[in-house]
Amino acid sequence: MATEEWLSIGEVAERTGLSVHALRFYEREGLLVGPVRRTASGRRRYTGLDVDWLLICVRLRESGMPLADLGRFAELVRQGPGNEAERLRLLDAHRQRVDARIEALEECRSIIAWKSGVYAEHLARGEAGGLWDPTARAMTTVDGTGGTADDEHE
């Protein structure tokens, strides 16, 4: 029978990217799925399963899952079998929020790409002076329609 590998809080911090302070916070907030064992001297001992769970938690938090939802998810996992449908609802709701954020970010990226293209074209033509220059005053454009030096309608 293989013995279980015990990890110190520092080793878990290194493997998960969480600080020691964050690991203690996760424990206090009930975000772990099992109890953190302790040595006779009171030092925390973690397992590989704890690390695996924490890596999931890190990704859920990085993706914007609220602590309350993460706590509820951990609670459901601790309760064991029988609540998988509720876990799925919680994860699906979070995925929908992430999908909406991704869509919004893609729209932002599209605007940035367009604006970068405008600047690249103006720089290539040697006409970048005055792009979005807040000090520019109204002036007559080449076609005589008027405008400002910050017109970038390309």
Side-chain angles (χ1 to χ4, degrees):
M1 181 176 188
T3 58
E4 192 168 21
E5 178 188 13
W6 294 105
L7 303 166
S8 71
I9 195 168
E11 291 169 320
V12 173
E14 185 176 309
R15 290 185 186 192
T16 61
L18 293 168
S19 67
V20 169
H21 176 75
L23 288 168
R24 291 180 183 128
F25 173 80
Y26 272 48
E27 182 182 356
R28 263 193 327 271
E29 294 298 311
L31 301 177
L32 301 174
V33 292
V36 175
R37 292 170 182 83
R38 305 241 180 195
T39 65
S41 62
R43 293 185 178 268
R44 290 170 173 83
R45 297 188 316 178
Y46 296 88
T47 66
L49 183 62
D50 294 322
V51 172
D52 292 344
W53 173 256
L54 286 164
L55 289 171
I56 291 169
C57 291
V58 166
R59 291 297 181 208
L60 292 172
R61 287 293 296 144
E62 283 178 349
S63 63
M65 180 178 270
L67 283 173
D69 288 354
L70 184 56
R72 178 66 181 145
F73 186 59
E75 179 184 333
L76 291 168
V77 171
R78 279 193 303 272
Q79 289 173 5
N83 59 25
E84 291 83 0
E86 188 174 349
R87 294 182 210 179
L88 178 60
R89 281 191 297 276
L90 197 146
L91 290 171
D92 277 344
H94 181 61
R95 183 185 43 76
Q96 289 172 4
R97 288 189 302 270
V98 169
D99 288 344
R101 282 185 49 216
I102 289 170
E103 184 177 331
L105 286 171
E106 286 174 345
E107 290 173 10
C108 292
R109 186 174 69 185
S110 176
I111 295 291
I112 294 166
W114 168 75
K115 187 54 80 181
S116 293
V118 168
Y119 276 80
E121 288 176 26
H122 278 71
L123 284 168
R125 291 192 313 251
E127 301 172 355
L131 286 175
W132 284 87
D133 182 353
T135 63
R137 299 285 183 236
M139 55 184 259
T140 303
T141 60
V142 175
D143 65 4
T145 60
T148 62
D150 65 342
D151 285 336
E152 295 183 29
H153 304 290
E154 293 290 316

